[in-house]
Amino acid sequence: MTVLSVRDLRVAIGENPIVRGLDFSVEREETLGIVGESGSGKSMTVLAATGLIDAPGRRVSGSSILRTSPDAAGVELVGATDRTLRSVHGDAVGFVFQDPSTSLNPFLTAGRQIAESLEANRIATMAFDPATCAAPLPRAFQWLDGSAYVNHVALVRKARGAEMPASFWTDPLMYQGISDVLSGPRDSIVLADEAWGIDLEAEVVVVLGDVPMGASREVAAKAIKLIMLVNDVSLRNLTGPELAKGFGFVQSKPSSAFTPVAATPDELGPAFDGAKVDLPLLSFVNGKPFGKPICGNDMTFDFPTLIAHAAKTRALSAGTILGAGTVSNRDADGGPGKPIEEGGLGYSCIAEQRTVETIRIGKPVTPFLKFGDHVRIEMRDAQGRTIFGAIDQDVVRYRHS
């Protein structure tokens, strides 16, 4: 069986012909050697015949047909699409280059090559089951959470009767959360008392590379390596008394839960401009749509600003998780957002909805989460495909053993 049949192969770089009308074939289990002096076109012949030639001004013509089995249709490699070439390179066609500098491309990482092989179904795979996933980082060197959506901060503080300092609009608010145990996407929210005021908080977070102390916005932006979502669970009835002590969150912030997948920024395409994610963040409570605010809207502090703020007086270690806080949008008229059932974008936490209810009707009517309730958080791309997978959590009573 003829495995490779090359006919009238011609290669030119600009106006200079390199290979002129070459014919050859390779039979199954046959070895073919191409011999010639330096510069005679040996490498160009093989690269052109296998669809690998990538020189500026190149022109390749003729035919190079690959056949992998007697009953398989031949694949034309000359002029083939990238998709066709990916389906054969590394599988039916393998390479051992003579020049190590050609084999090791510093701009083509091992991760990118593995990803291409997976996407082309050239590596054995198994079904992805989010139910078996831990958080992408089950533990982290640190978990920092900011409040980039100052509209949310203003509303929640108003509900607590706390003043809103003017500096909150110019200097990001940020706290350091627990990072020794980060929950997976299907782990239950296990707590002892409903009276603590159990609330969801849907957020976008980034995972960082090393960030030097005093990093500029530009340096900070380059440190964003991965993006994912979090349910930053909060206990609202413990928050006020705890913060009144002036020393930050501990009891009011139990373990946060993360999506099963963390994606590299390029996977979001134009939806991520290096600073903000311009997609809706979807939240559901007991199967009912609760929020769909646009992450890029009303974001007072973008991710590079938050990162630079955190790194002002210290370096950040690779693996640091940094959140932008509960996503919150104003209504089209500039006032507080409206519930989805009233045509609004809804909310990413119950506390915000309760605050809006207090402003509108004088008292909150939406209860915090109860045991047996279910929370779902996810983000979908423009085609409706989930990007990170979903956080799906039940609220469960903690029982002492």
Side-chain angles (χ1 to χ4, degrees):
M1 183 189 79
T2 300
V3 176
L4 184 66
S5 176
V6 176
R7 295 291 178 265
D8 195 29
L9 184 66
R10 298 175 182 271
V11 181
I13 306 297
E15 299 299 321
N16 301 313
I18 307 298
V19 178
R20 303 176 177 89
L22 189 63
D23 296 340
F24 65 88
S25 61
V26 181
E27 300 298 313
R28 188 178 185 86
E29 299 185 356
E30 180 183 31
T31 300
L32 173 69
I34 300 177
V35 181
E37 62 185 16
S38 179
S40 63
K42 303 184 300 296
S43 296
M44 284 290 185
T45 296
V46 176
L47 293 174
T50 53
L52 268 181
I53 191 167
D54 189 25
R58 68 190 182 282
R59 289 184 290 117
V60 179
S61 62
S63 175
S64 178
I65 296 177
L66 175 72
R67 182 171 284 105
T68 56
S69 66
D71 55 350
V75 178
E76 177 60 73
L77 301 181
V78 173
T81 63
D82 289 343
R83 182 171 183 172
T84 297
L85 294 174
R86 282 198 301 269
S87 71
V88 297
H89 288 165
D91 184 10
V93 179
F95 302 91
V96 179
F97 292 103
Q98 62 184 2
D99 181 359
S101 66
T102 303
S103 303
L104 302 175
N105 183 342
F107 297 101
L108 186 60
T109 64
R112 182 64 257 168
Q113 294 179 66
I114 293 171
E116 287 184 355
S117 295
L118 284 169
E119 290 164 359
N121 295 318
R122 294 206 305 268
I123 295 178
T125 60
M126 60 182 179
F128 178 71
D129 183 3
T132 64
C133 291
L137 278 72
R139 298 179 183 84
F141 288 114
Q142 63 180 336
W143 156 221
L144 302 172
D145 199 15
S147 283
Y149 301 87
V150 181
N151 177 61
H152 165 76
V153 181
L155 288 170
V156 172
R157 287 181 69 88
K158 186 172 184 177
R160 296 204 311 263
E163 290 291 326
M164 176 73 172
S167 64
F168 279 27
W169 292 96
T170 58
D171 195 38
L173 190 66
M174 190 172 290
Y175 79 94
Q176 187 146 359
I178 63 169
S179 59
D180 56 334
V181 180
L182 301 178
S183 298
R186 299 295 187 272
D187 291 342
S188 296
I189 302 170
V190 183
L191 293 165
D193 196 341
E194 289 179 347
W196 290 342
I198 307 166
D199 199 357
L200 71 149
E201 286 196 54
E203 305 181 20
V204 179
V205 303
V206 295
V207 181
L208 306 177
D210 289 314
V211 182
M213 183 172 65
S216 65
R217 271 182 49 85
E218 291 71 24
V219 171
K222 293 178 181 178
I224 298 173
K225 304 302 180 184
L226 296 168
I227 303 172
M228 52 187 179
L229 307 180
V230 65
N231 182 13
D232 181 36
V233 179
S234 292
L235 306 179
R236 299 299 186 183
N237 294 336
L238 302 183
T239 300
E242 191 165 41
L243 291 183
K245 298 176 182 179
F247 220 57
F249 299 109
V250 175
Q251 292 181 343
S252 53
K253 285 290 188 180
S255 178
S256 299
F258 295 81
T259 44
V261 173
T264 52
D266 62 292
E267 292 295 335
L268 277 72
F272 182 65
D273 63 1
K276 300 178 180 181
V277 176
D278 190 26
L279 287 170
L281 181 54
L282 309 178
S283 301
F284 304 83
V285 175
N286 296 327
K288 181 181 178 181
F290 181 74
K292 53 178 182 179
I294 310 299
C295 298
N297 293 353
D298 301 315
M299 189 179 189
T300 308
F301 306 107
D302 60 19
F303 277 110
T305 300
L306 294 172
I307 297 165
H309 174 83
K312 181 177 180 179
T313 60
R314 56 173 170 156
L316 307 179
S317 299
T320 292
I321 302 173
L322 185 142
T326 307
V327 179
S328 174
N329 288 171
R330 298 183 183 90
D331 194 41
D333 62 7
K338 295 178 181 177
I340 288 179
E341 56 266 27
E342 294 182 19
L345 296 177
Y347 313 96
S348 294
C349 71
I350 295 171
E352 186 168 323
Q353 179 162 3
R354 287 168 60 89
T355 300
V356 173
E357 290 167 349
T358 302
I359 293 170
R360 296 174 67 185
I361 62 175
K363 64 178 182 179
V365 295
T366 301
F368 288 117
L369 297 171
K370 305 293 185 183
F371 297 132
D373 284 347
H374 182 81
V375 173
R376 180 181 177 91
I377 298 169
E378 70 175 329
M379 180 177 286
R380 295 183 174 274
D381 63 17
Q383 287 73 46
R385 300 169 299 193
T386 188
I387 299 174
F388 311 100
I391 299 170
D392 270 307
Q393 295 184 281
D394 294 314
V395 183
V396 176
R397 183 189 296 275
Y398 173 73
R399 300 190 183 280
H400 295 275
S401 58

